[in-house]
């Protein structure tokens, strides 16, 4: 497992809404429901080998790219102080073939914060009922159907009485 996959696994695990993540090279692909997928990858913003953002690209299996958003670490986390008390924007730095966080390494709380912002964005593209009323109706119907089914299973059916056994009709 390479460094990028390791860090993408941390983000995907903390993000609600990404199902069945698959990691390939420096990218993570996840299912959003229906035909929508997401591709996550770390990207540079003008400086070679300084990965300062997480790019989320929403893809539709039929229509291709739907939307893209950059989550800049400076926007999500701001400046952070490293172990040498130097302030700076966290980023992944590649140097001499080695990859690591430069200065400040994001902790689990930072990753959850990034994943929360990502989850809010991806919620727009997750598959759900068209309207709130439809969602409430669908839930009610399924509960009612379950109750009816359970009631029918519990109650033994009584045999129908023949007309002569029912007595006079009124």
């Amino acid at each position: 497992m390479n460094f990028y996959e390791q860090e993408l696994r941390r983000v995907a695990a903390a993000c609600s809404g990404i199902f069945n993540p698959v990691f390939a090279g420096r990218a993570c692909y996840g299912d959003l429901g229906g035909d929508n997928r997401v591709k996550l990858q770390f990207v540079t913003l003008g400086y070679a080998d300084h990965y300062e953002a997480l790019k989320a690209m929403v893809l539709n299996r039929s229509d291709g790219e739907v939307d893209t958003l950059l989550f800049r670490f400076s926007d999500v986390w701001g400046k952070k102080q490293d172990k040498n008390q130097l302030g700076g924007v966290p980023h992944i730095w590649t140097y001499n073939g080695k990859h690591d966080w430069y200065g400040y390494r994001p902790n689990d709380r930072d990753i959850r914060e990034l994943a929360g912002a990502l989850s809010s964005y991806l919620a727009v593209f997750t598959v759900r009922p068209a309207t709130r009323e439809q969602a409430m109706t669908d839930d009610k119907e399924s509960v009612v159907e379950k109750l009816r089914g359970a009631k029918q299973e519990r109650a033994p059916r009584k045999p129908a009485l023949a007309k002569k056994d029912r007595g006079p009709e009124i």
Side-chain angles (χ1 to χ4, degrees):
M1 171 179 0
N2 67 40
F3 175 81
Y4 294 95
E5 179 180 337
Q6 177 185 350
E7 295 304 305
L8 287 170
R9 282 183 186 275
R10 288 176 66 194
V11 174
C15 183
S16 62
I18 297 178
F19 304 101
N20 306 318
V22 175
F23 301 90
R26 294 183 177 189
C28 170
Y29 295 87
D31 189 0
L32 299 177
D35 284 343
N36 290 340
R37 307 288 183 264
V38 64
K39 177 183 179 183
L40 302 176
Q41 62 188 114
F42 295 108
V43 294
T44 63
L45 300 176
Y47 293 101
D49 296 329
H50 287 114
Y51 296 87
E52 303 171 80
L54 179 69
K55 180 179 180 181
M57 181 185 307
V58 177
L59 305 166
N60 184 281
R61 293 180 72 177
S62 305
D63 302 326
E65 185 177 334
V66 175
D67 195 56
T68 300
L69 187 64
L70 286 179
F71 292 90
R72 298 170 190 259
F73 302 142
S74 60
D75 292 343
V76 177
W77 299 323
K79 290 187 175 185
K80 297 284 190 173
Q81 288 192 355
D82 64 5
K83 57 188 171 196
N84 298 323
Q85 301 301 315
L86 300 173
V89 176
H91 63 274
I92 297 171
W93 187 30
T94 299
Y95 182 72
N96 285 337
K98 295 180 183 176
H99 319 284
D100 204 355
W101 289 98
Y102 182 77
Y104 178 79
R105 175 179 292 278
N107 58 32
D108 291 340
R109 191 179 122 252
D110 295 326
I111 295 297
R112 282 193 306 271
E113 190 175 357
L114 176 62
L118 179 61
S119 297
S120 296
Y121 167 68
L122 295 178
V124 174
F125 302 99
T126 57
V127 176
R128 56 180 176 244
T131 64
R132 184 176 180 188
E133 291 79 21
Q134 182 182 354
M136 291 171 53
T137 304
D138 290 347
D139 289 344
K140 287 179 185 176
E141 287 177 10
S142 63
V143 170
V144 170
E145 287 174 11
K146 287 179 184 177
L147 290 173
R148 284 182 185 154
K151 186 177 178 182
Q152 288 175 356
E153 288 174 9
R154 279 187 275 139
R157 299 190 110 195
K158 295 181 182 178
L161 297 175
K163 190 172 184 180
K164 63 179 182 173
D165 295 334
R166 282 191 250 165
E169 290 184 26
I170 301 178

